[in-house]
Every structure is written in C-alpha cells, then in structure tokens.
Amino acid sequence: MVHSPTCPHPRFLLVPASEPQFPHLQTPDPGDPVWNVRWALCTRRSSGAAAPGSGATIFALSSGQGRCGIAVIRTSGPSSGHALRILTAARDLPPARHASLRLLSDPCSGEPLDRALVLWFPGPRSFTGEDCVEFHVHGGPAVVSGVLQALGSVPGLRPAEAGEFTRRAFANGKLNLTEVEGLADLIHAETEAQRRQALRQLDGELGHLCRGWAETLTKALAHVEAYIDFGEDDNLEEGVLEQADIEVRALEVALGAHLRDARRGQRLRSGAHVVVTGPPNAGKSSLVNLLSRKPVSIVSPEPGTTRDVLETPVDLAGFPVLLSDTAGLREGVGPVEQEGVRRARERLEQADLILAMLDASDLASPSSCNFLATVVASVGARSPSDSSQRLLLVLNKSDLLSPEGPGPRPDLPPHLLLSCLTGEGLDGLLEALRKELAAVCGDPSTGSPLLTRARHQHHLQGCLDALSHYKPSKDLALAAEALRVARGHLTRLTGGGGTEEILDIIFRDFCVGK
Amino acid sequence: MFYLRGCGRWVAASFTKQQFPLVRLSSDSAAPRTPHFDVIVIGGGHAGTEAATAAARCGSRTLLLTHRVDTIGQMSCNPSFGGIGKGHLMREVDALDGLCSRICDQSGVHYKVLNRRKGPAVWGLRAQIDRKLYKQNMQKEILNTPLLTVQEGAVEDLILTEPEPEHTGKCRVSGVVLVDGSTVYAESVILTTGTFLRGMIVIGLEMHPAGRLGDQPSIGLAQTLEKLGFVVGRLKTGTPPRIAKDSINFSILNKQTPDNPSVPFSFTNETVWIKPEDQLPCYLTHTNPRVDEIVLKNLHLNSHVKETTRGPRYCPSIESKVLRFPNRLHQVWLEPEGMDSDLIYPQGLSMTLPAELQEKMITCIRGLEKAKVIQPGYGVQYDYLDPRQITPSLETHLVQRLFFAGQINGTTGYEEAAAQGVIAGINASLRVSRKPPFVVSRTEGYIGVLIDDLTTLGTSEPYRMFTSRVEFRLSLRPDNADIRLTLRGYKDAGCVSQQRYERACWMKSSLEEGISVLKSIEFSSSKWKNLIPEVSISTSRSLPVRALDVLKYEEVDMDSLAKAVPEPLKKYTKCRELAERLKIEATYESVLFHQLQEIKGVQQDEALQLPKDIDYLTIRDVSLSHEVREKLHFSRPQTIGAASRIPGVTPAAIINLLRFVKTTQQRQAAMNESPKTDQCLRNADRLQERQL
C-alpha cells in the first residue's frame, strides 16, 4: 500500500499502520473463497465508508445510465489483474495503459459476454493508486449485467461501496485537495442514491425476503453467541444450538432456491425514477398521461381517484424514465386510500426527481399549504449536497387563473406554470425536465439497477457460501464466524448489523447475568 | 515498621510474617519534606494495584494511596476470577506483566476452563479464588515492588496547576490533598476509586453512604470532579448474601469438580500452586416458584430494584431475573470463598431485599433449607464518569495527567478493572517521561476493544466484556496474548521483564518456524491416509495436502502428526505449550488470513490521527452537521478509525475530517519547514520500527 510520506508536523501524522504481530499470518494463503469477501467491521457498526485498501478488489459501473453506446466498468485492487485474465481467458495481461480488444466471457459458463476494449493500469500509476482495470463494453443492459455478474463471481472481488474508488484514491495520495473538495458530497450523494436504489430493489417481495432472512440470521447468530458467552455459566435452555441449526439450514435452502430462481424473477426497473406527487385533485394523473402520451391513469374531477402507484416507462427528452403516478397526499380518508397515501410516500423516498404538483387556483387551501410546508420545503431545505434528490414544483390549471388577476403567492419557491388542459407551459416543463434528467442520468452514482442487482447477487451468494461453513458440531467459534460473515453480507443489503443488536437479542431472549 | 511522616502513615510490610527487603523504602529515605512522586494511584482495588505496579515497572516512583492498607487486593464481590471474555482480559494483563493472573495461580481453590468444547478462541480460563490468600499474595507482591510506596489516607481534593501549552486540557493535575490537609505532589495521578464516588449501599429500604460494606465513600473527590466539569452518571450493582458453609446440605446437590490438570492463567506458570485433588468443589442448586413469590410480594420493600438508576440489560439480581423471566428455575452456584473459609458465595442470588427476608428466601432453596445468612446481600449505587471523557490512554480530556481506570469508567468486573489499571499505569508513567502513549488497538486485544468501546461509545450500563463484542475474535485468543502484547509491552511501554520478553520472543519464533515447517511438508492424501489411518482425510482433492491441513482435523494433534512424520516434527512436541499452540494456529489458519486483511484496513484508519486540539464546535474549514460536531466534541476521537465508529458520524463527515487533516497538515508544513518535535519523531520512529 502506498502512502503519502510521513508528515513533518507532529500532530497530523498520516502514517502507515503497523504490521500486526501474528506469526501465523505472514504467508498469504487464499484458502476458501468464502472468507474473501469479508468487510472491514462488517460485524460491527459500519458508519464509516469502507476502509481503503482493506485488501478486497472492488468493481463498479462508472459510466452513467441512459442511452449510451459504451459502458465503462472499473475495478481496483490487488485482484484486478487476476480478474482481467479470468474474464479474457488469457495467460498474460495486455500491455499497460494501452487499449486492447478482447473477448470477455463468463468464467463459470464460458459463455461469451462481449467483445470489449480493456485497459490495464498497474498500480501505483492508476486512478486509485492500486491495480486497476477498465472494461469498455457495449452499453446494453444484458452485456453490462453479464460482465458485472461475472466480476462478482471472481474470488476476491466485490461491488464497490459508495465513494470507495475515490476514497482509495484519496488514501493513496492520488487526489489533490480541490478534487477532494467534492468528495464528501459525492460520497453523500452516492450513499443516498444507493440507498434509494436499494429501497426500490427492496420494495416488494425481495425486500421482504431479505429483511426476513437478515432477521433470522441475526437471531440465530445471537443465540450462538449467547451459547458461547453464557452457555456454561448461566443456564440457557436446552436446544438453543439445535434451534439455531434448524434455522440456518432452512435459510440455506431458501437462499439457494431464491438464487436459482433469481434470473427470471426480477424485472429490472431501469431509468431515472420520476414521481409525481401533490395534494388530491391537483392534476397529477393528467400530467402523467400528458407526458406518456397515453391514458395511463384514470382521470376524474373527484379527489382521490388514483389510489395505487401507477408506473410507466417513458422516454423523456431522450432519457429513460420510470414515471410514477401516486395517490394525492391527504389524511383522514378511508383505509384503501390511506394505503395509497402510504405507498405514495414510500415511492417519494425512492424518487430521483420529484414532480410536485399543486392546483394554481387553490394555493391557499389547507391541503396545498400543508403540502408546501412538508414535502416541498423538506426537499428544498436540503442543500444540494445534503440530498441528491431533485424537485420541480409545478402549478397546474394555469388556465383557471385570470390573466390580469394577481399571480400566485409571492412566497412560493421557484416553480413552473402549466395547464394540462390546454398544454400551455408544457414546453417549459419539458425543457426543465431535460436539464434535471441530464443531471440525474449523467451521474454514474445514481445507482444503476444493474449494479444493484449484481450487488444483490454477490451478497446473497456470499451469504449462502458462508452458511455452508457453519458447522456447530466442530469449533463453535469458527461456526459463529461463518454466521458473522453471512450476516455481514445480508446487512450490506438491508442495513443494520451492529454488535449491540446481537447483545439486545441475547439479553431479551435469555436470563443471563451476575 | 510504620514510618510516620508529615502526611499520614507510611506502611511497610507489617502484616505478613516474612521479612521484606527494605531496599524499596530506602529509595524514598531521601524524600523531600513535601513528598513528590512520579505517579500517584488513588485506590487499592483491582485497577489500582495493577496501575501502581505497572507504573513502577515502567520505572516511575509511584505512590499507592488507599483508605486502608489491609484492604489492598480485596475481592469485594465474587470469589472468582476469569470466565469467558474475562479470562481473555487476564491473559492480556499477564502478557503486559500485570499481577492478577500470577496471583490467581497462587491463590485459586478450583480451576476450570469454560467452553472447552467450543474452540480455543473462546476458552474461558476461570478459577474460584481464596479471598484471604489472594489478598495476602497481592499485598506481598505490592509491598515487594521496587519504586512503589504504599500509604494510607483518603484523598479529598486534587491539586491543579496551569496546563502544559503543548497539550489540550484546561488544567493539569500536580498532586492530591488528603483528608488531614496534607499534600502529596506527583507528575501524574490515576483515580481508581471504584464504587467509592458517592457510593451508597442499599439493603431493603435502608440506604447509607459507603463505598463497600464497612468503608467510607469519597464525597469530596466526587464534588471536585463535578466542579471541574466532568459529566457524571450513576450506576448500580449488587452482591449476594454470604451463607455459613456448615449450614448447607451439599449431599443432595450437583457437584462440580475442577479440571485435571489445572490450566494456569499466567504465561509464566506451567502449573498452579495446588493439585487438582486438593481443590474444592462447587455445587449447583436452583431457585423455585417460592423464591419468585417472596420477590414479587416484597417489591415494595426493595428500593434498589424500584429506582430508575440505570442497571444493565442483563440480569444483575435475582429480583430482576424473577421480574423479567418469571416462572423459570434460575441457577445458583454455591462457590467456596476459600480453603479455610466458613462462607459460601451463592452466585446468582445477588439481592437487595431486607435482611430478614433474604434468609427466608434462601431457605426455600434446595440444599439451603437450614442455611444461615452470615452477611446479607446488598446493592451499591455509585457515580461513574462518562468514559467518553477520556482518551484511549485513559487520560482525561479535561485535566492533563489525570487518568481514570476501573469502575469509575462504568465497567464491572475485576478483570475489566485490572485491564484498565495496567493501561493507565503504563500511560501515567510514559506521560512523565514524555513518551508517546501506549494504546492497544481493537485489532490487538480485548483490552483494546474494551477501551475503544468505552471511549468512543460510552456506556449506560455497567460494561462487561463479552467475546461477542470482539470482531476479530478468532485472532485475539487467550493462547496468543503474549505474541500480541508482550513484545509491544516490552518495546513501547517498558512494563515487561526481560525474562518474559525473551520467553515470548522464543515462542514467537518457534511458532513461525513450526508453521512454516508444517506448510512445507506435503503428501498426497492417500499417503496421509496410510500414515494416520485413524483420521478420515478427504481424498476429494487431487492436490498434495500440507501437514498444516492435516493438523486441522479435530482428531489430529502434534503428537499424532509427529508420530507419522517424526522428522522434522518431533522436536515441536517437546514443549507441550508450543505443540498445543501449533494445533490452535492450524485450526484457524484459513480464516485468519482473511481476518488479517480486515485488520489491516482498520489499522490504516487508526493510523490517521486527528489533531487533538480541534474545536469541533467552532471550526469553519470543515463542513459538519451540528449533530456530528457535538458527537465529535464530546468523544474527541483520536483517529479517523475511532471517529468512524461513533454512531451518527456519517461517511461524508469522515471524508470531510480527512480533508481537514490533510489541509491543516499542508498548511502547517508550509508554515514550518522543520517543526519536528521529539514526540513526532518518536512517534514516527516507533511506527516505523513496528512496521519493520
């Protein structure tokens, strides 16, 4: 690992970590692939970005989504060269820093993936200072997805965490300070985008499954940990280990079945997620129909017509967009509409771009004021660096405003006027949308669903592999370690994963103590 | 042999039969009228004794101040040491040449390793200890420690002076004022006052101030600390009643016998002082519904249980067990208090009921039908100082050269206290000699996990060590604590004897050599099958199999391996410890390599030091949310690694901090071409050296 030289000032030492003194750890032995994918502090709190140079090789899609001829996939870390050789089925690496045309194929099936340009950047003369590889592949989702999954199956490789490439570059002294300036914002944005992307992916059945699995696994681990820490001093009930064993085996079966099934199960919802929201009867469905040029949603003068989330893929100004129509936000209505409102709010969390709609002729009503105060203000109040979520405020029904009458309220944030009825203001809206979408889609951090899917696949497989090492009849500390690794994989997808969570379960489920 | 001086009673070895060399005392025969020491340790409990001896081992002239010399080494609660996680701490204390492990090897009456079947990484060395012997042996050790002076006296106040400009902190401690008004000066002061800070004993509805039954609490000191601005919290703990041994019917109870052979705690001992057949048994009994009934009927008489002072999530007393897990039988271990003690300690029956009800409840229990309670159980409520106010070297942020160790930091347990004591003692001494602090990382030991958890997260319940808190559990094992800490303790702290250091060096090189030899021996799996027929070696792999892989099989040990391949393996079976440790290394080998990768990542973040004098609340050059600023301000993490473990500190905040450190660094470098202070040089040298 290359480090910036020791700083001359006493208080600000940036110095390499000392070598740990484990005699047995001096000769590397790759051993079982399952252990290759551990994360720094995965069993503990993980509020920090992943530690740089923690030995793992990371990969990510580093070009934006949208229509592009070429997608760029990058790796960084010691196994980069190995991954390149495996995917190109070659003995030797291509010459450094030269573009070479190579046939990429899946290392497991041997199936060809793409003919691509590959570039090999041996460290330290690379973006991150580590060994790096760039794959310039044809931009179709099938190819990108295939290459990402192939990389994920190479031992020692894992999908990058938010900002990890940049963090490694920083750690290796590859960024100057002006470049670092934007880094925190970038990491924040990436974290946010990944979170939204994960929310989308975890919305619905898959999310339900993942959270359930994580819960089962955390509980099983907590019980095994309890058995280790308290089994002989305190009286744990009989059968704690047996029960954990049954649950782990059941989890293994479920995960295995899911992974075999995953390829056809999951529909990719690519594109920028644009969500139309607002109080009831603002004309949200009319706008969706207008933008998609087809009657997606039922439109009626009755407030609360739209109850579920209606989703339609559209092409807006050349960008792939997934447009969602949602129920009008209001309280105190029947249970069906309440559920619609809940779903609308959930969808709002996941949006890249929010189209907030208000009735221009009804700005003083409580529902409009409430909407402005909660939804619009809360997104608007955040500085761009705080949230990568964007919002356009649209005032519909401009045709109802009298031409010479007073304009809309003066204290409104920047907004656009539109009439879905006459089409007036549509050009302005499309222009604004184009600008916003260019920003959303041009940014690779927006979280490609392809990458998210590769992440899922990688971590679920990692979890399954780790579970196969769970053998409670032998060394229980080793068995618990397998569960810790497995849980680390799942909590990468679902969040959480600290030690305190384990202790909470132990003290809740068992009477242990002095 | 009492030396009466201006400020209290100087005590030499007046209460043991042996004669002690007076060399130690002669060292302060030339002491000035106002006594001056390098290090003062206040408190003679498990943290205090370790702190005082560690400071003295490091070469500091040290004074141990205690209320009563005859309570030094007192085990005020359970008559046992060690256990799961706690045994790990003891091995680490021993690796730093601390006392408690060696004293336990001389004072135990029942040695047993817990978790024998669960893997060597989680073995829990444990022993029932003879209270009287422990105290005797500890006092003998303390009074024989060169450079260490012991004095009786209660500390009322701290003497504070101007801060040293090159360090943070609003003032500096330079000595203590005793209750009689006399003063003692020192370069560093360590507080190990346990539960004595505004300690309050509770039995039933009665409450009276005391640090421990029969001892005065420290009230003046608590006020001083509060005035200085320390954030004080309150915790509670408890202890069970003691029962007359001859009033118990052991014949109807389950008997637990000690291990044969006994496993010693200390790396320096091959065996313990007593043969297994001479050791005492423990007995097991259980509570029953009648116990529940007495607890539930008398809750109104039990102020300790009712009060809101934070107790732990785990069950500290029989009352909380009954309340939280009703209709269950709870385990009660009847533990001997010593070889010639008439008392039995009922572990699991910690309680604060009124004394007469305690006996009533106890006599409901099988085997205890005729039991006599000699001393009732009681609860203790006491002040602790939020440990986020101390650095990983256990020095306070507020007052320079003031160190805290033990229960004062919110921990519970002798071992947790001892572990902090060693670290505080070492660092108080290093501070005097202006050397860089000795910090154990959470990648290096349980001590590191304990202190990192306390200093970055704080605690709201008495903090107890569990192996589940340790992310690198497979690397930080009881067997290898010497390799992890003895070498560093010798080089960086100077607290380890030459002999122990040489022993650890020999062990380290023998292990390395043994492992590389085991890796170099490769045969086909069928040949291994012939060599060791009793083991079912998997033949699925066509690759040659290393001897190290064969050693991983449960049924194989170094002896059976050496029988199969006498040359060159025979020599590794001569030292029993070495043979056993090679087997353990083999067991975890494949996992440890990957754990090392992770450890490196964590260590990298820990090598990125944050300036100690950042004012997080006001700095403008770094964009941080208000919430993050407050968190950083309170905990004052010393490294990027520690900062990232504080809940609520986001990855983005970490990057901003990194950037800030780097900018400041460059600015300073530009301003000052060669500002290397000796501290920096030493720091860098040390790290470089360790890297080599």
Side-chain angles (χ1 to χ4, degrees), chain A residues 11 14 18 44 47 225 504, chain B residues 442 473 608 613 644 690:
Chain A
R11 287 173 307 162
L14 282 173
S18 58
R44 262 180 73 79
S47 63
E225 296 280 0
D504 279 338
Chain B
R442 58 186 306 130
R473 182 164 63 191
L608 293 168
D613 55 357
S644 69
R690 274 169 61 197

Side-chain angles (χ1 to χ4, degrees), chain A residues 45-105:
Chain A
R45 305 168 282 278
S46 48
S47 63
S54 49
T57 299
I58 53 174
F59 64 90
L61 181 63
S62 56
S63 53
Q65 53 173 322
R67 282 193 206 135
C68 51
I70 298 292
V72 179
I73 296 167
R74 253 198 248 188
T75 75
S76 173
S79 304
S80 288
H82 176 64
L84 177 56
R85 282 201 304 263
I86 283 197
L87 259 68
T88 53
R91 231 158 216 264
D92 301 312
L93 289 165
R97 285 175 287 278
H98 283 276
S100 331
L101 192 62
R102 290 282 186 279
L103 178 70
L104 304 183
S105 34

Side-chain angles (χ1 to χ4, degrees), chain B residues 495-655:
Chain B
C495 65
V496 171
S497 72
Q498 186 70 27
Q499 200 185 353
R500 184 187 284 269
Y501 172 68
E502 278 165 13
R503 188 183 179 283
C505 287
W506 174 81
M507 184 53 80
K508 182 172 187 254
S509 60
S510 307
L511 280 170
E512 281 168 7
E513 184 193 300
I515 290 166
S516 69
V517 166
L518 286 166
K519 278 182 177 168
S520 68
I521 300 172
E522 286 187 330
F523 298 132
S524 68
S525 46
S526 51
K527 178 160 181 196
W528 279 117
K529 260 196 150 155
N530 289 335
L531 284 170
I532 315 179
E534 61 274 23
V535 181
S536 51
I537 287 166
S538 145
T539 45
S540 58
R541 284 165 68 184
S542 54
L543 297 165
V545 177
R546 303 173 306 166
L548 192 67
D549 296 320
V550 178
L551 190 55
K552 286 176 187 170
Y553 284 85
E554 221 166 336
E555 314 88 298
V556 181
D557 59 15
M558 276 308 283
D559 286 334
S560 53
L561 205 57
K563 244 179 238 155
V565 193
E567 275 319 312
L569 293 182
K570 214 168 125 205
K571 69 171 187 174
Y572 297 103
T573 59
K574 289 201 179 109
C575 169
R576 176 133 210 94
E577 189 192 343
L578 177 62
E580 284 170 4
R581 287 175 69 164
L582 283 170
K583 164 78 186 165
I584 297 173
E585 296 291 351
T587 307
Y588 295 120
E589 190 243 354
S590 56
V591 185
L592 288 177
F593 170 69
H594 298 283
Q595 207 153 72
L596 178 66
Q597 300 297 313
E598 246 183 87
I599 285 175
K600 276 186 178 159
V602 175
Q603 287 182 340
Q604 235 162 33
D605 273 357
E606 281 177 355
L608 293 168
Q609 302 194 354
L610 287 165
K612 288 198 185 82
D613 55 357
I614 302 188
D615 183 350
Y616 289 104
L617 297 180
T618 57
I619 40 165
R620 291 222 192 112
D621 327 11
V622 43
S623 118
L624 295 170
S625 75
H626 188 66
E627 191 203 349
V628 167
R629 280 173 192 268
E630 290 210 319
K631 288 193 159 141
L632 292 170
H633 174 73
F634 196 67
S635 301
R636 309 207 66 82
Q638 301 211 321
T639 66
I640 288 285
S644 69
R645 286 190 289 270
I646 298 173
V649 176
T650 58
I654 293 298
I655 294 292

Side-chain angles (χ1 to χ4, degrees), chain A residues 11-12 14-15 18 24 30 36 38 44 47 52 225 227-229 232-233 475 484 500 504 512 514, chain B residues 115 118 237 313 315 331 442 467-468 470-471 473 585 588 594 598 604 607-608 611 613 644 665 690:
Chain A
R11 287 173 307 162
F12 310 133
L14 282 173
V15 284
S18 58
H24 48 282
N36 278 314
R38 289 216 53 171
R44 262 180 73 79
S47 63
E225 296 280 0
Y227 193 74
I228 289 174
D229 270 340
E232 289 185 21
D233 240 358
D475 189 303
R484 286 178 174 201
E500 283 305 302
D504 279 338
V512 290
K514 214 160 176 176
Chain B
N115 274 353
K118 296 178 198 166
T237 179
R313 282 170 294 183
C315 295
Q331 209 166 246
R442 58 186 306 130
T467 72
S468 36
V470 181
E471 55 272 46
R473 182 164 63 191
E585 296 291 351
Y588 295 120
H594 298 283
E598 246 183 87
Q604 235 162 33
L608 293 168
D613 55 357
S644 69
Q665 217 174 65
R690 274 169 61 197

Side-chain angles (χ1 to χ4, degrees), chain B residues 436-488:
Chain B
F438 180 79
V439 172
V440 177
S441 143
R442 58 186 306 130
T443 62
E444 283 175 314
Y446 277 52
I447 295 181
V449 174
L450 169 79
I451 293 177
D452 184 62
D453 278 352
L454 290 172
T455 55
T456 56
L457 308 174
T459 183
S460 55
E461 65 188 6
Y463 182 101
R464 184 177 151 185
M465 198 69 236
F466 303 119
T467 72
S468 36
R469 297 188 192 270
V470 181
E471 55 272 46
F472 304 116
R473 182 164 63 191
L474 298 185
S475 304
L476 311 181
R477 304 185 309 267
D479 65 276
N480 65 9
D482 55 344
I483 309 289
R484 291 184 277 123
L485 294 175
T486 302
L487 308 184
R488 271 201 70 202

